[in-house]
């Protein structure tokens, strides 16, 4: 394969289980470096016309603790699921601890294999949204993604291995050509933090008292002061409680979706950029 070229792997042909299988993969090369993305495309019911995309992981993107700022159970028709891959070299048990206190574990996950967590089959309350922290029994390296899906739209994002106290959100939407954004902020520090969001249109909002592992949700359609039909950006800060001083680390995920989706999937998600 020459420099700059790409190769495509069709998992309906190459997956070890064939159709209806769910697993993971490791991509290696004889020399040099590569990058990878994964497209997940629904071609049979109930996922027809749904597509989700995420970035592949380099070894430097792995960690012994992973953070998922969004987890959903029947939340306005949306459920989520996690796929967590063991790349440690040894067998491990992988556990997800959720912000509502639920804890789920998958035992005996072999090296390069993955564990699946389906929030819709766990014991979360209906119409629940929260977050999760993923750990393992040997302190080994893992990577993970979160899938979000309804019967009309779907999107994926990469789990985090660490956070920052400031994040840049360069793309937010309020009824912009039909699209509206929401983002969820997870506190991954060991202390309580306040969350301050400063939008470039002058709107500011602060949510105080977010506990470790807890989340703060910001829906742009509900923010007072935005001018509809606009695109804008924001700076998200973690603050020490009751102060304007920077606080502990947080992580953020942004979702964009049509307010009134049609027959085609119009949802997409992205991981914003840490600033410190």
């Amino acid at each position: 394969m020459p420099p700059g070229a790409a190769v495509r792997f069709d998992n309906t042909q190459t997956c070890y289980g064939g159709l209806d299988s769910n697993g993971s993969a490791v991509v290696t090369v004889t020399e040099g470096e590569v990058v990878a993305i994964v497209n997940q495309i629904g071609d049979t019911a109930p996922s027809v016309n749904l597509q989700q995309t995420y970035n592949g992981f380099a070894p430097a993107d792995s960690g012994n603790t992973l953070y998922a700022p969004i987890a959903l159970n029947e939340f306005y028709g949306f459920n989520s699921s996690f796929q967590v891959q063991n790349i440690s070299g040894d067998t491990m048990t992988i556990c997800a601890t959720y912000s509502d206190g639920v804890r789920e574990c998958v035992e005996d996950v072999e090296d390069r294999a993955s564990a699946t967590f389906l929030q819709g089959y766990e014991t979360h309350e209906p119409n629940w949204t929260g977050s999760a922290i993923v750990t393992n029994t040997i302190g080994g390296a893992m990577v993970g993604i979160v899938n979000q899906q309804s019967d009309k739209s779907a999107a994926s994002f990469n789990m985090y291995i660490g956070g920052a106290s400031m994040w840049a959100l360069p793309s937010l939407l309020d009824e912009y050509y039909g699209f509206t954004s929401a983002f969820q902020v997870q506190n991954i520090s060991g202390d309580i933090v306040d969350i301050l969001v400063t939008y470039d249109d002058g709107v500011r909002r602060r949510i105080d008292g977010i506990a470790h592992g807890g989340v703060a949700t910001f829906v742009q359609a509900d923010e007072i002061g935005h001018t509809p039909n606009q695109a804008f950006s924001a700076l998200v800060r973690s603050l020490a409680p009751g102060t304007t001083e920077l606080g502990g680390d947080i992580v953020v995920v942004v979702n964009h979706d049509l307010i009134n989706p049609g027959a085609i999937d119009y949802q997409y998600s992205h991981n914003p950029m840490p600033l410190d």
Side-chain angles (χ1 to χ4, degrees), residues 136-183:
N136 65 76
T137 51
I138 65 171
M142 306 177 292
V143 295
I145 65 161
V146 179
N147 293 313
Q148 308 164 86
Q149 185 171 315
S150 71
D151 60 352
K152 294 182 179 180
S153 60
S156 300
F157 62 86
N158 293 31
M159 289 185 177
Y160 290 98
I161 60 172
S165 58
M166 289 195 299
W167 291 78
L169 280 59
S171 176
L172 295 171
L173 311 170
D174 185 10
E175 301 179 19
Y176 189 69
Y177 291 93
F179 280 91
T180 292
S181 304
F183 59 92

Side-chain angles (χ1 to χ4, degrees), residues 71-210:
L72 309 166
N73 180 43
E74 301 177 17
F75 187 69
Y76 294 96
F78 279 86
N79 284 297
S80 62
S81 63
F82 304 159
Q83 193 85 349
V84 181
Q85 185 179 18
N86 172 13
I87 60 170
S88 70
D90 295 306
T91 300
M92 63 171 60
T93 294
I94 299 175
C95 295
T97 302
Y98 296 93
S99 56
D100 61 356
V102 173
R103 179 177 172 86
E104 297 285 340
C105 295
V106 178
E107 298 180 350
D108 300 325
V109 182
E110 296 181 358
D111 179 46
R112 300 193 175 193
S114 59
T116 302
F117 298 85
L118 301 170
Q119 281 72 73
Y121 290 90
E122 297 167 349
T123 57
H124 309 287
E125 293 292 327
N127 202 36
W128 172 77
T129 179
S131 60
I133 299 173
V134 180
T135 57
N136 65 76
T137 51
I138 65 171
M142 306 177 292
V143 295
I145 65 161
V146 179
N147 293 313
Q148 308 164 86
Q149 185 171 315
S150 71
D151 60 352
K152 294 182 179 180
S153 60
S156 300
F157 62 86
N158 293 31
M159 289 185 177
Y160 290 98
I161 60 172
S165 58
M166 289 195 299
W167 291 78
L169 280 59
S171 176
L172 295 171
L173 311 170
D174 185 10
E175 301 179 19
Y176 189 69
Y177 291 93
F179 280 91
T180 292
S181 304
F183 59 92
Q184 194 136 304
V185 182
Q186 181 186 16
N187 175 15
I188 67 169
S189 73
D191 298 314
I192 294 173
V193 300
D194 299 343
I195 305 298
L196 175 64
V197 180
T198 305
Y199 298 96
D200 69 346
D201 61 0
V203 174
R204 290 164 62 94
R205 187 171 174 217
R206 181 167 178 154
I207 297 179
D208 294 339
I210 307 301

Side-chain angles (χ1 to χ4, degrees), residues 10-94:
D10 182 348
N11 293 329
T12 63
Q13 305 297 321
T14 60
C15 266
Y16 58 88
L19 295 177
D20 300 320
S21 66
N22 179 29
S24 57
V26 174
V27 179
T28 58
V29 295
T30 53
E31 60 180 314
E33 296 180 336
V34 294
V35 295
I37 65 168
V38 179
N39 292 312
Q40 305 175 97
I41 303 168
D43 56 7
T44 59
S47 300
V48 175
N49 292 330
L50 301 185
Q51 178 173 333
Q52 298 155 275
T53 299
Y54 66 90
N55 293 327
F57 297 86
D61 302 320
S62 66
N64 56 21
T65 301
L66 304 178
Y67 301 96
I70 294 176
L72 309 166
N73 180 43
E74 301 177 17
F75 187 69
Y76 294 96
F78 279 86
N79 284 297
S80 62
S81 63
F82 304 159
Q83 193 85 349
V84 181
Q85 185 179 18
N86 172 13
I87 60 170
S88 70
D90 295 306
T91 300
M92 63 171 60
T93 294
I94 299 175

